[in-house]
Amino acid sequence: MAKTKRICLWSGPRNISTALMYSFAQRSDTKVFDEPLYAFYLRHHPEAHSYHPGAEDILETMESDGDKVVNMMLTNTEKPVLFFKHMTHHLLDLDRDFMKETVNVILTRDPKDMLPSFDKVINNPSLHDVGYELHIELLDYFKKHDIPFTVLDSRKVLENPRKTLQRLCDFAKIPFDKNMLSWQPQQREEDGLWAKFWYHNVHKSSGFQKYKPKEKPFPEHLNELLNQSQPHYNKLLRYAL
C-alpha cells in the first residue's frame, strides 16, 4: 500500500487558503481538513477570544490538545492524500518535529492586498495576527532542519491556477488533477465553524477568481503594519513557485 501523502498548508489569513482547500477537495484521492489546530491556538491564547468570531463554539466542539491533533494528522489513512489547511500562528510553541513527515507549503500574499481585507474582520491587526514574521520563522526552521518546503504566492495562483497547481503537485509528488481548477458554488461539510464569518466569497465562487488589484487607496492606519510586513513578504517571494 502506498504511503499516505500528508500536505500541510501553512497560511496567513486572507491568503486564498480556503480556495486551495476547496481545490484539493475536488480530488477523489484526497480528504481535506480545515484548521485542525484552531482550538489548540484559542486554548493557549485566551486574549484572542474577544476578537476571533465564534471562539467559544470552536473550543467546545474541536480538539484543543495540540499533540492529539498532530497524532490524528500522522495516523489518519482515510485517503491516499490528506490536505491540512493551517494558519501558521496556530502553531504557537507546538513541537514541530512532525513536519519531517509532512509535505510543507507556505502560502503568502502581498500585504498591500491582504492587510485591507483582514482589517475588515479583525480591526487594527498586529504583525503576529497577519503571519508574515511567523512564516519567516517557519522558513528558517525548515532550512535549519533540512525539511523540504515550498512557497506559494496567492497572486501567482490566481494569475495562472493550472500552472501553479501543477508545480505544487509536482513538489508533493502527486499527479495533477484538472478537477482542482473548479468546484460548485456552495459550502463544504469540511468547513470550520468560522466559515460563516470568513468564507462568503469562496462559497459563491466556482474556481479561483482572476487577480484584481485593489481599487481603493491603501488605508493609512495600516501603513506601519505594511512597513513591518513587506520585508518578510519579499523574502518569502524568493522561494515561491
Side-chain angles (χ1 to χ4, degrees):
M1 181 176 176
K3 185 178 179 181
T4 302
K5 190 77 65 172
R6 297 176 171 86
I7 301 172
C8 284
L9 184 77
W10 302 107
S11 178
R14 313 308 278 173
N15 280 5
I16 72 163
S17 58
T18 306
L20 278 165
M21 181 180 78
Y22 275 42
S23 171
F24 271 85
Q26 307 313 306
R27 300 175 60 101
S28 62
D29 64 353
T30 300
K31 179 175 176 60
V32 300
F33 299 80
D34 195 7
E35 300 181 33
L37 288 168
Y38 203 160
F40 165 74
Y41 167 76
L42 290 172
R43 174 184 168 191
H44 294 278
H45 193 45
E47 59 268 34
H49 295 193
S50 63
Y51 61 91
H52 276 253
E56 295 309 317
D57 287 340
I58 294 167
L59 281 167
E60 288 177 8
T61 58
M62 290 183 68
E63 177 59 67
S64 63
D65 184 319
D67 291 331
K68 289 183 179 179
V69 174
V70 169
N71 183 64
M72 176 279 292
M73 291 165 52
L74 297 183
T75 58
N76 189 305
T77 55
E78 289 178 77
K79 291 275 191 168
V81 180
L82 305 178
F83 181 91
F84 301 96
K85 171 197 159 195
H86 294 290
M87 295 293 112
T88 306
H89 59 275
H90 290 175
L91 277 167
L92 299 178
D93 59 355
L94 194 65
D95 185 349
R96 303 180 182 191
D97 198 53
F98 72 91
M99 296 177 179
K100 296 175 182 176
E101 301 181 51
T102 60
V103 177
N104 297 291
V105 183
I106 295 175
L107 176 65
T108 190
R109 183 183 180 190
D110 190 329
K112 292 194 236 11
D113 291 329
M114 178 273 184
L115 296 179
S117 177
F118 189 65
D119 187 60
K120 291 178 182 177
V121 182
I122 304 294
N123 292 327
N124 298 311
S126 68
L127 187 62
H128 175 82
D129 290 324
V130 297
Y132 293 100
E133 187 175 42
L134 295 173
H135 272 160
I136 296 302
E137 291 178 9
L138 192 56
L139 184 151
D140 290 340
Y141 177 85
F142 291 150
K143 292 172 68 175
K144 179 180 179 181
H145 295 277
D146 295 320
I147 298 173
F149 72 95
T150 194
V151 175
L152 271 185
D153 179 58
S154 296
R155 178 171 176 172
K156 292 182 179 179
V157 177
L158 297 180
E159 288 178 337
N160 196 331
R162 178 183 289 271
K163 181 178 179 180
T164 312
L165 289 175
Q166 283 177 331
R167 289 181 173 179
L168 178 59
C169 290
D170 287 345
F171 172 76
K173 295 182 171 59
I174 59 175
F176 171 70
D177 185 338
K178 65 181 181 181
N179 291 320
M180 298 172 70
L181 298 173
S182 62
W183 50 85
Q184 290 298 316
Q186 62 185 17
Q187 300 179 33
R188 290 199 60 86
E189 62 179 356
E190 297 92 349
D191 286 351
L193 293 171
W194 48 93
K196 59 186 176 182
F197 303 108
W198 297 95
Y199 295 0
H200 304 296
N201 290 336
V202 76
H203 286 163
K204 294 183 290 186
S205 71
S206 57
F208 293 99
Q209 303 299 300
K210 187 175 181 180
Y211 173 76
K212 293 181 180 179
K214 296 287 184 184
E215 295 180 356
K216 295 182 180 179
F218 188 84
E220 288 189 13
H221 72 279
L222 294 174
N223 278 336
E224 182 178 353
L225 184 56
L226 175 63
N227 291 335
Q228 294 172 333
S229 303
Q230 195 71 50
H232 299 306
Y233 173 69
N234 291 342
K235 183 174 181 179
L236 288 166
L237 273 187
R238 294 183 221 152
Y239 298 88
L241 286 173

